[in-house]
Amino acid sequence: MNFLKAPLISAENLTKTFYGGGGHVRALDGVTFSVEQGSTLALVGESGSGKTTAARMVLGLDSLDSGSVTVLGKRLAALSGEEVRLLRRSIQVVQQDPYSQLNRRHSVQRIIEGPLIAFGEGDASIRKAKAIELLNAVGLERSYLNRRPHELSGGQCQRVAIARALIIEPKILVLDEAVSALDVSIRAQVLNLLRSLQKERSLTYLFITHDLGVAKYMADDIAVMFRGKIMEKGNREDIFENSAHHYTRNLISSIPRTEPPIQRKQIYDIQALPSINKSDACSYRSRCSVGFEQIKCQTDEVPITSGSTSHDWLCHFPFKDGVK
């Protein structure tokens, strides 16, 4: 008999509000997603959409107002501090800035060995051997062991950060804008490296990015976020070939292309975005060429619409070809 495997990451109805300066920001507003074993889910959206906050919740770095996060079958809210720390053996993070995430005073060897030292694993010779193994796995030579971050390029620093994340053999990597600070050619190399490592080590990725083009290359499933909500969620084909939400279409239309932009259309002027009306039922209404003129988008709560078992969106007036 075959049983469906539970996802390695499951986030249910996450809400989080930050207060300060006499006001508040709803960073997450009912966010739900899951990541299956060996797959990649990309959380995509512009700055302030809530994608990094969602990643921090999965890592257990911030508390939730409501909702739940389950990682490897364990509900984070039910774990003690020590249990969360031990769970981090199985879920590691690679951050955006390739320089700031590495201790400038430490050698590459000490940086990569850091997680082993933190968990009290192995003696000096064992740790060094594993550091060399991981250096080779990320495409760097043994001679890099004694270098320090200031002697490395951005791409080399990111490879070291990936090696450090992998040295305790995690099952999950959270990649928070892990290639956005790199030059285009180096970015492609690191993305290819991440894909190879995922296949070789059966890794599961939660990939945070503002670049839908990167998500298309890396992800099996994509969740498009805007102002703390998931506006559309589906597999890669759903999002790129049959997208329903106007925000998703705008993101796709803004992906740089090398061919002449024949019949390509930007639905809004990205240099002159309108302010967001917080009283609108649909948070995207003020930027939407269709919803801006619809009273329903201003007053009626937007329900989740499903086009298939894997494709959902939040829109009263989706693109017709997005409706199954």
Side-chain angles (χ1 to χ4, degrees), residues 110-164:
R110 175 62 179 79
I111 289 168
I112 296 176
E113 292 177 359
L116 294 178
I117 295 171
F119 284 100
E121 291 195 7
D123 58 23
S125 61
I126 291 175
R127 293 197 300 266
K128 182 175 182 179
K130 291 201 73 171
I132 293 170
E133 175 191 341
L134 265 299
L135 268 182
N136 291 334
V138 299
L140 296 177
E141 298 176 354
R142 178 176 180 159
S143 60
Y144 283 82
L145 280 177
N146 295 321
R147 299 191 188 184
R148 282 174 165 71
H150 72 273
E151 301 177 275
L152 306 177
S153 67
Q156 290 167 344
C157 279
Q158 203 63 304
R159 289 172 186 266
V160 170
I162 293 168
R164 177 183 61 183

Side-chain angles (χ1 to χ4, degrees), residues 1-117:
M1 182 179 293
N2 293 325
F3 294 94
L4 293 176
K5 292 183 178 180
L8 293 198
I9 300 173
S10 179
E12 296 288 339
N13 199 30
L14 307 186
T15 62
K16 179 67 177 181
T17 301
F18 292 104
Y19 297 89
H24 67 276
V25 174
R26 179 64 67 90
L28 297 176
D29 190 0
V31 169
T32 296
F33 60 85
S34 62
V35 192
E36 304 297 324
Q37 181 176 353
S39 71
T40 299
L41 170 69
L43 297 182
V44 181
E46 61 195 63
S47 297
S49 62
K51 54 191 188 296
T52 293
T53 301
R56 289 181 62 83
M57 299 303 170
V58 169
L59 290 163
L61 298 177
D62 283 327
S63 61
L64 286 164
D65 296 339
S66 63
S68 66
V69 174
T70 302
V71 178
L72 297 172
K74 298 179 180 180
R75 192 168 179 266
L76 293 190
L79 302 180
S80 66
E82 177 61 15
E83 287 172 328
V84 171
R85 188 184 79 86
L86 292 175
L87 184 63
R88 291 197 182 119
R89 289 180 54 89
S90 298
I91 179 168
Q92 290 286 297
V93 61
V94 178
Q95 298 172 330
Q96 177 177 0
D97 190 334
Y99 291 102
S100 66
Q101 63 184 311
L102 305 182
N103 192 322
R104 299 177 185 178
R105 296 177 296 175
H106 289 169
S107 67
V108 166
Q109 178 180 338
R110 175 62 179 79
I111 289 168
I112 296 176
E113 292 177 359
L116 294 178
I117 295 171

Side-chain angles (χ1 to χ4, degrees), residues 94-99 101 152-159 161-162 177-194 207 210-211 214:
V94 178
Q95 298 172 330
Q96 177 177 0
D97 190 334
Y99 291 102
Q101 63 184 311
L152 306 177
S153 67
Q156 290 167 344
C157 279
Q158 203 63 304
R159 289 172 186 266
I162 293 168
E177 296 282 11
V179 297
S180 64
L182 304 177
D183 292 339
V184 173
S185 60
I186 304 302
R187 184 183 309 170
Q189 294 174 20
V190 173
L191 289 175
N192 286 332
L193 171 64
L194 288 169
F207 202 99
H210 66 276
D211 188 334
V214 169

Side-chain angles (χ1 to χ4, degrees), residues 11 14 28 30-35 40-46 49-52 54-55 177 205-216 218-240 243 245 247-249 251-252 310-314:
L14 307 186
L28 297 176
V31 169
T32 296
F33 60 85
S34 62
V35 192
T40 299
L41 170 69
L43 297 182
V44 181
E46 61 195 63
S49 62
K51 54 191 188 296
T52 293
E177 296 282 11
Y205 290 161
L206 178 59
F207 202 99
I208 312 301
T209 180
H210 66 276
D211 188 334
L212 204 53
V214 169
K216 182 179 183 181
M218 287 296 298
D220 300 291
D221 301 290
I222 298 171
V224 179
M225 295 189 67
F226 181 77
R227 291 196 68 220
K229 289 180 177 289
I230 292 180
M231 312 306 282
E232 186 166 8
K233 180 172 56 179
N235 61 43
R236 182 172 54 235
E237 290 72 25
D238 289 331
I239 297 301
F240 280 90
S243 54
H245 202 282
Y247 181 49
T248 305
R249 293 286 179 116
L251 290 178
I252 292 172
S310 64
H311 191 193
D312 303 323
W313 58 83
L314 284 177

